[in-house]
Structure formats: C-alpha cells, structure tokens
Amino acid sequence: MSETTSASTASAPVVVTGAASGIGAAVVGRLLADRIPVIAADLSWPADAPERPSVHRVMLDVRDPEGWAAVAELAAASTAAAGALAGLVNAAGITRRARMENVTAEDFELAFAVNATGPALGIKALAPLMAGGASIVNVGSAAAVTAHYAVAYAASKWALRGITKTAAMELGSRGIRVNIVHPGYIETPMTASASVAFRDINVELTPLGRTGSPAEVADVISSLLSPATSFVTGAELAVDGGLTAHGGGLPIARAIS
Ligand code: NAI
C-alpha cells in the first residue's frame, strides 16, 4: 500500500466539528453512508438526537484548546485499532452580520475565534494522530474570496484560507493533505436566519440559478477526504453554483444581452 493511502482504512475515524447542524451534519451522514466512523463534535446536542452506531458525539467549543485536547485523547483511543486518524472536517462556524459602519471589536474577536483560531487549534491537536493519507478539510465561504458586507465574518474566512495553505505546507512532508471548500448559499439554519433579500440576490447572481444543499457540500468534502484526491493539497474549491466564478460578469452579460 502506498504512503498516500495508508491511513484511509475503512475503520479509521474522521473528526467533524459543527456536526449537529447544516453542512457538518450532512458530512456526518455522508461518512456514515461510506462506512467511515465519526467523532462528531459540537457546542451542544439536542436531547432527542438519535444514537447512531459508528458516531461518537462529543461536546466541544472549538475555541477551547483543552476541549481539543480531550477530543485528541478520545481520537487516540478510537484509532488504537485503526492505527491513525483518517481526517478532520472543520465545519463549525458562526456568522456576524454587522457591516463596516457598525462592526465592533467583539464581532471580530468572536468571528476569528470560532472561524479561524478554532480550526487551527483543531489541526494542531489532531495532526499528530494522523499518518500519510490523512486529509483535513476546512469550510471557508464564498465570502473568503470576495468582498462581503459582513466584514468580520469575511475577514475570519479569509484568515482560514491562510491557515489552510500554511497547514498544507507544514503537513505535506507527512503525507497529510489540507484543503478548503467555499460554499455559496447553502440551505442551513445559518442561512435561514438571513433576510429573504439576501437569499434572492444570491440566487439571482448564481449561474446555476438556485441555492445549494448541505449534501452537495458534503459530497465534495467526502471526495477531498478520500484517496480520489490524493495529490490535491493547499487547494480551494468553490461549491457555489458558479457564484464567485463570474466576478461580477453575470449582471454585465445580462445587461448587454
Ligand atoms: P449551522 O449554523 O447550521 O451549523 C454550524 C454549527 O457550528 C452549529 O451546529 C453550531 O452549534 C456549531 N458551532 C458554532 N460555534 C461553535 C463552537 N464555538 N464550537 C463548536 N461548534 C460550534 O451553519 P452551516 O450553514 O452548516 O455552516 C457550516 C459552515 O459552513 C460554517 O463554517 C459556515 O461559515 C460555512 N458556510 C455556510 C454557508 C451557508 O450558506 N450555509 C455559506 C458559506 C460558508
């Protein structure tokens, strides 16, 4: 077996944050369908969340280094038989919708702590448990590659791109890959709390003319976790129906047609 596939055994688990909702929950579902065990982490879990075999639920605030140490301890115990941790998906995230004119220092602190520092702490805590072939996927945003009115959120996601590329550089010699996906408008509890106007203009500016589903993002993340992408690291992949690709070209094309 080559170095690039040695950690991708069926029984090696993947840690997923933000696993109780939206994109993170869809990733858990996809991994289970692929018979990959999951350590599912989130701030809290609904009391009536169904128990599922192969899913170990944990409470984690991604801002907390001690919380990550506890997850690492659990992952080390879970991987004893498999030999190594297969991967990490950093899907936990929060939005801050303040614009430049009223954004506060607290908006920046919170957004950066959860959306950038959190994933970095996770990579630091869990990479030592990984071997060649392991894969880390960060969840960025269309707002990580463009201007976006929610300035603290956008800045934190731009920061996550830097963390992704630096981690890819640092962990490459161990055969560990690190990539980032950039969802466009995806139907989750996060976007359900946004205005109708925000949804409508996203659909209008998305060449595929619709919003995306959490499962469509999970499918791409699953591919980045798998050996099918064994030579892809430090890469950024838009999962946005073409939203960011046209860079403003779409309304221009429409205006002159
Ligand atoms: P969501 O709100 O449905 O799920 C986010 C999950 O993260 C929640 O379960 C929440 O409890 C958890 N979380 C928040 N803070 C946490 C913390 N400190 N520690 C641990 N868990 C924490 O949101 P959604 O839409 O599923 O978002 C997932 C990721 O995708 C986020 O990083 C978000 O920024 C990103 N994203 C989402 C888009 C969308 O259109 N829904 C678009 C672009 C990016």
Side-chain angles (χ1 to χ4, degrees), residues 17-24 41-44 60-63 90-95 114-115 139-143 153 157 182-191:
T17 72
S21 178
I23 293 169
D42 210 306
L43 276 179
S44 63
L60 169 72
D61 184 333
V62 297
R63 298 171 291 179
N90 281 309
I94 55 165
T95 185
V114 177
N115 299 342
V139 180
S141 172
Y153 177 78
K157 293 291 188 178
H182 295 309
Y185 190 110
I186 309 298
E187 302 283 359
T188 71
M190 182 184 279
T191 43

Side-chain angles (χ1 to χ4, degrees), residues 95-108:
T95 185
R96 310 299 295 171
R97 296 201 171 105
R99 303 177 83 121
M100 191 68 90
E101 67 208 30
N102 55 12
V103 70
T104 63
E106 192 193 12
D107 287 321
F108 278 101

Side-chain angles (χ1 to χ4, degrees), residues 65 67-73 85 88 119-130:
W68 276 112
V71 171
E73 208 169 301
L85 186 64
L88 165 65
L121 291 175
I123 294 168
K124 179 187 173 193
L126 299 185
L129 302 175
M130 296 178 185

